[in-house]
Amino acid sequence: MTRRVRRKVAKKGKDDAVSLSYLEIEVEDLGLERNGDVDWTSLPDDTVIQLFSCLNYRDRASLSSTCKTWRVLGASQCLWSSLDLRAHKFDTATATSLASRCVYLQKLRFRGAESADAIIQLQAKNLREISGDYCRKVTDATLSVIVARHEALESLQLGPDFCERITGDAIKAIALCCPKLKKLRLSGIKDVYADAINALAKHCPNLVDIGFLDCLNVDEAALENVSSVRFLSVAGTSNMKWDVVSHLWHKLPKLIGLDVSRTDIGSAAISRLLSSSLSLKVLCALNCPVLEEETSISTTKTIGKLLLALFSDIFRELSSLFAETSNKGRNVFLDWRCSKNKDKNLNEIMTWLEWILSHTLLRTAESNPQGLDNFWLKQGAALLLSLMQSSQEDVQERAATGLATFVVIDDENASIDRGRAEAVMRDGGIRLLLNLAKSWHEGLQSEAAKALANLSVNANVAKAVAEEGGINILATLARSMNRLVAEEAAGGLWNLSVGEEHKAAIAEAGGVKALVDLIFKWSSGGDGVLERAAGALANLAADDKCSMEVAIAGGVHALVMLARNCKFEGVQEQAARALANLASHGDSNSNNAAVGQEAGALEALVQLTRSPHEGVRQEAAGALWNLSFDDRNREAIAAAGGVEALVTLAQSCSNASPGLQERAAGALWGLSVSEANSIAIGREGGVAPLIALARSDAEDVHETAAGALWNLAFNHSNALRIVEEGGVPALVHLCSSSLSKMARFMAALALAYMFDGRIDEFAPMSSSSESTSKSVSLDGARRMALKHIEAFIRTFSNPQAFAAAAASSAPAALAQVTEKARIQEAGHLRCSGAEIGRFVLMLRNSSSILKACAAFALLQFTIPGGRHAVHHASLMQGGGAARVLRAAAAAATSPIEAKIFARIVLRNLEHHHQVEPSI
């Protein structure tokens, strides 16, 4: 299946108003009656407020409207001190409706330009912190208005995606409007010029944390003027003059932490900064290619100062910050969080390090540079897992996103690095991610679910996720009202459902119903969630029992709705694949007929065969192929224009993937079971493309093309078309050279139909009216065909076994011949009475080769245990075939193959109780 494993989207989630990484509320005995109705309004006020705090702003506002008591509690100041707007549409109207609750709002997280424009309508003049992502379209004007209305602002963060329309002018506005600013982190600014930085230095005396990340230009000299700065990051910023940096920045009197990761800084600048700065304690230079190519840096470090680079032991370096010997190894962050250390400077350093490490590791994972396997396995995975336990929610989110990203090596083919995935599993990452997924913070839920989804591409990790209870957690998240959470959870179920051993567990956890409900819930505007839900249902529908669950849950209607209405190719492909799998169970359930009877289903699938996207065409053709096994569906597909569409598809896929070729030919094979459809396929020009597909290098295409040509050849006009279009050499090649026994068998049967005599009556009528360029020698074609039919039959002959069978009627002798001759897959073929009658008639043909071929075919169709053997035996009894078989078995002129095969067919009929035992 196609799984888009890595999605480079920014973090999602709730605000970071609380200091704990997540909070799980345990329901205690509140003295309420457990039996009968519960009066929810009798809950203690503090319990209601705590429950309200676990809801997003829309659910909180909605629940507050249920009664007067809850309306008062829902407006409590503590509930509206922070607000996360990222998961929902936030516009001016919504902002206006929330304004009365936001008088005391202090922390705000938003997403996108529309939300940015609406922020001022909240009238939250006491805002202290603003954090935004997806800010590519946010302009200088918008940002200037925001900061002008929020003069108490202390922290402003925009990123990690690039702020392409924000310039130094907006930075000047920030400096002039926000004199209390302490933290400023901006990503992707094109030019942070000197005047903008000098304005910050002049008007923001409390500015201690600056981050100009992934910028094109930053004035290095001007940054020397920001004397208040303690933490500075220029990670990912290009065009830096490192000689200027090393001669100026060491003069910054309060600079404690410097981050130059993902830049082209060299060892000389690093050495000068470490040795010259009196205040600098930590210099982070991760993923700096120039630095890593130089070896001299290891001897230039200054005692008491940390250099964090890919070649250093990061955990050991961090441990050296602590006086306690317990802070060693990979537990350094955990030990720090749990310690009672009151060192304010140390706590600030560690908090800043968590942020810049999570940012750099995520950016590095996204770019996926070569040569970092050793780092990821030895340190990177452990760092991400450690950061995932941070008290900073945005750090947790980035760490989880980093885990989701760094394991991916090929997005399009859903390939992940096995070593990296299993490193996460060995270090306890699955349990950590599941704990985050159970958090009430929706941003953490989303990123944790994404990581679990990507990691579950690995079968071993998928098993661990299932064993740790991950299927139930993901099924629960799939019911979330937050589309982003539901989307990632559906992606997790999609990847887990690849494993046959997980499908029943997903169904038992209510996953099928949750996935179907997602389709109805996000039927418009949710392409990502729809693709993942349909993909998971497609995998589940491949299982017989789960396919029934899908149908019972309303999955047929949901999937047909997607196939009819959705315009996104990923959704179309997965919906068609799901319908194909639902229809693939034959007589074991009624889903095939149910799909065909769903209004608009067949028309939609026919239309999808015309899609410009190959994957959509392939799955739609596959669905029509499976559906064509039902008689009513077969005719309905033709009535919906299926013959013309599939012939056109076959004509266009000569250079397509084997999967599309197989399904295009397979769908025509399925339709051609009906003689009316077979004739229509011939008239629409379907013969030539099927012959072309018969020349494919793919074994599976051989089978479907040969099967379609076999059905078409039953009609004499199609048989002549096959000859005229050069089909005899193609079928001969299949008959003699294909690695598929089934393809060789059906090619031989097609050739037998073509030259059993019926074509001779029709050939004179058309050959004189057709173009002379298609004139062929039927005699020459017949000789070629019969020669290769004979050679094919003999490959299933054992001279010693034939001699023994000829000399004795002992069952053992015939059984030995049967075992040699049997083509296992042929037992799945179902023939009509006319087809069986034609092979019976062929037993009387003057050609000994065709007699042997007919007897061989009837043997395959009646072998006990074959899916349709009883049906075929019944047809033969009704057509008086036993008498013809006895005659063929006894005729002196019959070849030995025909005699022995005819005797075996008679024994097969006896087994099915269709004839009296022969003497």
Side-chain angles (χ1 to χ4, degrees):
M1 74 175 187
T2 300
R3 288 167 289 221
R4 288 181 174 86
V5 183
R6 184 166 79 194
R7 296 172 290 280
K8 296 183 180 178
V9 298
K11 55 191 181 299
K12 317 171 183 68
K14 283 186 66 67
D15 53 85
D16 52 1
V18 295
S19 59
L20 294 177
S21 59
Y22 58 89
L23 175 62
E24 295 178 3
I25 296 178
E26 297 181 359
V27 180
E28 300 176 354
D29 188 351
L30 299 174
L32 302 176
E33 291 293 333
R34 294 186 179 274
N35 297 319
D37 296 333
V38 175
D39 181 7
W40 289 97
T41 60
S42 66
L43 288 172
D45 289 354
D46 59 346
T47 301
V48 174
I49 290 174
Q50 189 178 24
L51 289 171
F52 274 27
S53 71
C54 299
L55 303 175
N56 62 58
Y57 77 92
R58 283 194 171 184
D59 291 343
R60 191 185 304 161
S62 177
L63 200 57
S64 297
S65 66
T66 57
C67 66
K68 182 178 180 180
T69 301
W70 281 17
R71 186 178 303 114
V72 173
L73 293 175
S76 299
Q77 177 181 340
C78 62
L79 290 176
W80 297 94
S81 62
S82 63
L83 193 58
D84 187 345
L85 307 172
R86 294 175 298 165
H88 305 277
K89 180 179 175 61
F90 180 74
D91 53 18
T92 300
T94 306
T96 302
S97 68
L98 289 173
S100 62
R101 299 178 175 88
C102 295
V103 175
Y104 300 102
L105 185 66
Q106 295 189 6
K107 298 181 180 181
L108 176 68
R109 302 183 77 175
F110 74 92
R111 168 164 294 155
E114 184 180 22
S115 294
D117 292 335
I119 287 175
I120 58 173
Q121 302 301 326
L122 289 174
Q123 301 179 23
K125 296 182 179 180
N126 294 309
L127 262 180
R128 299 291 189 271
E129 300 180 17
I130 295 179
S131 177
D133 57 25
Y134 282 88
C135 295
R136 291 182 182 274
K137 294 183 179 180
V138 175
T139 64
D140 280 355
T142 298
L143 185 54
S144 297
V145 171
I146 290 174
V147 296
R149 298 290 183 89
H150 303 99
E151 297 179 358
L153 204 62
E154 296 178 0
S155 174
L156 177 61
Q157 301 183 68
L158 301 180
D161 47 306
F162 295 174
C163 303
E164 296 176 346
R165 301 177 67 179
I166 293 177
T167 70
D169 293 345
I171 297 176
K172 290 175 68 176
I174 293 169
L176 292 170
C177 296
C178 303
K180 297 181 180 180
L181 194 67
K182 296 179 180 179
K183 182 189 299 180
L184 178 64
R185 293 169 178 165
L186 303 175
S187 295
I189 309 297
K190 291 182 179 179
D191 187 12
V192 185
Y193 52 78
D195 286 352
I197 297 174
N198 288 331
L200 291 172
K202 180 178 179 180
H203 299 287
C204 301
N206 300 318
L207 187 58
V208 297
D209 188 336
I210 296 177
F212 294 131
L213 304 107
D214 296 295
C215 298
L216 289 179
N217 292 287
V218 173
D219 192 291
E220 306 89 346
L223 278 170
E224 182 196 5
N225 299 325
V226 190
S227 59
S228 60
V229 69
R230 292 165 57 81
F231 301 99
L232 174 61
S233 176
V234 290
T237 294
S238 53
N239 302 312
M240 296 291 292
K241 301 179 181 67
W242 294 114
D243 185 59
V244 173
V245 167
S246 62
H247 282 89
L248 294 179
W249 288 6
H250 74 274
K251 299 177 184 178
L252 289 167
K254 299 180 181 180
L255 186 64
I256 297 174
L258 176 61
D259 179 21
V260 294
S261 299
R262 301 183 294 110
T263 66
D264 58 356
I265 194 170
S267 60
I270 291 285
S271 298
R272 192 175 296 115
L273 286 168
L274 287 171
S275 60
S276 302
S277 175
L278 298 178
S279 59
L280 187 63
K281 292 185 178 297
V282 180
L283 200 164
C284 187
L286 291 172
N287 193 21
C288 296
V290 175
L291 175 64
E292 288 148 17
E293 291 174 359
E294 302 172 356
T295 58
S296 60
I297 188 64
S298 60
T299 63
T300 61
K301 292 192 297 181
T302 303
I303 296 175
K305 297 183 179 181
L306 272 61
L307 172 63
L308 304 182
L310 294 183
F311 51 74
S312 61
D313 186 332
I314 295 173
F315 287 107
R316 179 179 295 179
E317 294 289 335
L318 293 175
S319 297
S320 67
L321 288 171
F322 298 86
E324 299 90 344
T325 57
S326 60
N327 291 292
K328 299 294 182 183
R330 297 191 174 193
N331 293 324
V332 59
F333 281 108
L334 183 61
D335 289 346
W336 162 65
R337 296 181 198 115
C338 297
S339 71
K340 299 179 181 180
N341 193 311
K342 302 300 181 181
D343 187 332
K344 180 181 178 182
N345 286 337
L346 180 58
N347 288 339
E348 288 180 348
I349 290 172
M350 293 298 289
T351 300
W352 177 75
L353 280 171
E354 283 190 332
W355 197 92
I356 61 108
L357 284 173
S358 65
H359 187 279
T360 288
L361 290 173
L362 174 56
R363 281 301 199 197
T364 302
E366 288 174 341
S367 61
N368 197 23
Q370 298 295 315
L372 292 190
D373 284 347
N374 189 57
F375 167 76
W376 286 122
L377 293 176
K378 290 189 175 182
Q379 298 194 80
L383 278 168
L384 288 169
L385 292 174
S386 183
L387 294 170
M388 216 162 59
Q389 301 170 73
S390 170
S391 60
Q392 301 178 75
E393 187 186 341
D394 55 347
V395 170
Q396 287 181 295
E397 289 182 18
R398 276 195 298 274
T401 308
L403 284 175
T405 306
F406 95 109
V407 296
V408 179
I409 56 178
D410 186 345
D411 298 34
E412 293 302 321
N413 295 315
S415 299
I416 68 171
D417 186 282
R418 177 178 177 180
R420 297 180 187 181
E422 296 186 355
V424 174
M425 182 172 63
R426 283 193 305 272
D427 289 340
I430 302 304
R431 174 45 52 194
L432 289 174
L433 285 166
L434 290 174
N435 285 339
L436 282 189
K438 290 189 291 185
S439 163
W440 56 270
H441 288 287
E442 292 175 326
L444 296 180
Q445 292 174 357
S446 174
E447 299 309 319
K450 181 192 299 182
L452 289 166
N454 287 0
L455 289 163
S456 294
V457 174
N458 178 278
N460 292 331
V461 176
K463 181 180 179 182
V465 170
E467 290 175 348
E468 293 278 0
I471 288 175
N472 284 304
I473 292 172
L474 289 170
T476 299
L477 292 181
R479 302 183 185 96
S480 173
M481 294 301 295
N482 183 320
R483 181 178 59 81
L484 302 173
V485 174
E487 178 176 323
E488 301 302 346
L493 294 174
W494 186 5
N495 287 346
L496 283 166
S497 63
V498 172
E500 295 296 326
E501 66 275 22
H502 305 313
K503 292 180 179 178
I506 292 173
E508 290 172 6
V512 171
K513 181 68 164 58
L515 291 164
V516 172
D517 288 346
L518 279 182
I519 293 175
F520 292 118
K521 187 185 301 181
W522 305 106
S523 57
S524 61
D527 292 341
V529 68
L530 294 176
E531 179 182 15
R532 288 159 180 77
L537 289 172
N539 288 348
L540 293 167
D543 176 83
D544 187 18
K545 291 183 179 179
C546 289
S547 72
M548 293 301 297
E549 294 271 355
V550 173
I552 292 170
V556 173
H557 179 66
L559 292 164
V560 170
M561 179 183 70
L562 292 183
R564 293 180 65 184
N565 302 327
C566 189
K567 303 304 180 184
F568 178 58
E569 66 270 16
V571 178
Q572 293 175 337
E573 180 178 345
Q574 296 308 322
R577 187 170 72 90
L579 291 171
N581 286 348
L582 280 172
S584 68
H585 300 285
D587 300 330
S588 62
N589 64 47
S590 59
N591 286 345
N592 191 305
V595 173
Q597 292 167 12
E598 182 69 29
L602 302 180
E603 292 82 358
L605 290 168
V606 168
Q607 184 61 35
L608 290 181
T609 63
R610 302 184 177 99
S611 168
H613 303 281
E614 181 172 318
V616 177
R617 297 197 301 273
Q618 175 174 312
E619 299 302 343
L624 291 172
W625 181 12
N626 288 346
L627 289 165
S628 68
F629 284 93
D630 180 88
D631 293 341
R632 284 177 297 180
N633 287 345
R634 188 183 308 122
E635 302 313 315
I637 291 169
V643 170
E644 297 86 345
L646 289 166
V647 168
T648 300
L649 180 61
Q651 290 169 337
S652 67
C653 69
S654 57
N655 295 318
S657 67
L660 175 55
Q661 293 178 339
E662 178 195 12
R663 288 162 177 78
L668 288 172
W669 181 13
L671 289 184
S672 65
V673 169
S674 158
E675 186 169 11
N677 289 345
S678 176
I679 294 171
I681 291 169
R683 287 175 177 170
E684 289 293 329
V687 169
L690 286 169
I691 292 172
L693 292 176
R695 297 189 177 100
S696 168
D697 295 329
E699 194 175 316
D700 291 339
V701 182
H702 290 174
E703 291 186 9
T704 54
L709 289 169
W710 170 35
N711 281 353
L712 291 178
F714 187 86
N715 176 269
H716 55 275
S717 58
N718 282 338
L720 185 59
R721 287 191 182 97
I722 294 172
V723 175
E724 292 172 338
E725 295 286 353
V728 173
L731 288 167
V732 162
H733 180 73
L734 281 187
C735 186
S736 59
S737 303
S738 177
L739 297 177
S740 165
K741 285 185 180 181
M742 274 292 288
R744 292 165 60 203
F745 176 53
M746 291 185 290
L749 299 187
L751 290 170
Y753 276 175
M754 291 162 60
F755 297 110
D756 66 352
R758 294 194 184 185
I759 197 174
D760 296 330
E761 300 176 4
F762 181 73
M765 290 186 289
S766 65
S767 59
S768 61
S769 61
E770 297 281 338
S771 170
T772 56
S773 64
K774 290 189 176 181
S775 176
V776 295
S777 169
L778 286 179
D779 288 340
R782 181 183 292 107
R783 286 193 298 271
M784 181 192 304
L786 294 179
K787 175 183 176 181
H788 286 86
I789 292 173
E790 181 180 26
F792 169 73
I793 297 298
R794 286 184 176 175
T795 61
F796 295 90
S797 303
N798 184 324
Q800 293 181 342
F802 268 49
S808 170
S809 297
L814 294 179
Q816 187 177 0
V817 175
T818 302
E819 187 61 30
K820 170 69 175 176
R822 183 170 192 166
I823 300 174
Q824 194 72 34
E825 298 86 348
H828 296 288
L829 296 173
R830 180 183 176 93
C831 297
S832 66
E835 290 172 305
I836 291 295
R838 187 156 179 177
F839 284 116
V840 171
L841 184 62
M842 207 180 292
L843 290 171
R844 296 173 174 171
N845 197 282
S846 59
S847 167
S848 61
I849 295 173
L850 291 179
K851 288 180 181 179
C853 181
F856 181 76
L858 293 171
L859 180 152
Q860 303 299 332
F861 300 147
T862 58
I863 291 177
R867 184 174 179 181
H868 302 292
V870 173
H871 165 72
H872 294 149
S874 176
L875 293 175
M876 292 176 71
Q877 172 63 14
R883 184 171 61 256
V884 180
L885 285 164
R886 291 192 184 99
T893 57
S894 293
I896 188 170
E897 292 87 358
K899 292 181 179 182
I900 301 302
F901 292 151
R903 288 172 56 189
I904 294 173
V905 175
L906 285 168
R907 289 190 63 85
N908 291 345
L909 296 181
E910 292 171 12
H911 175 84
H912 296 299
H913 306 289
Q914 297 297 326
V915 298
E916 293 296 328
S918 57
I919 300 174

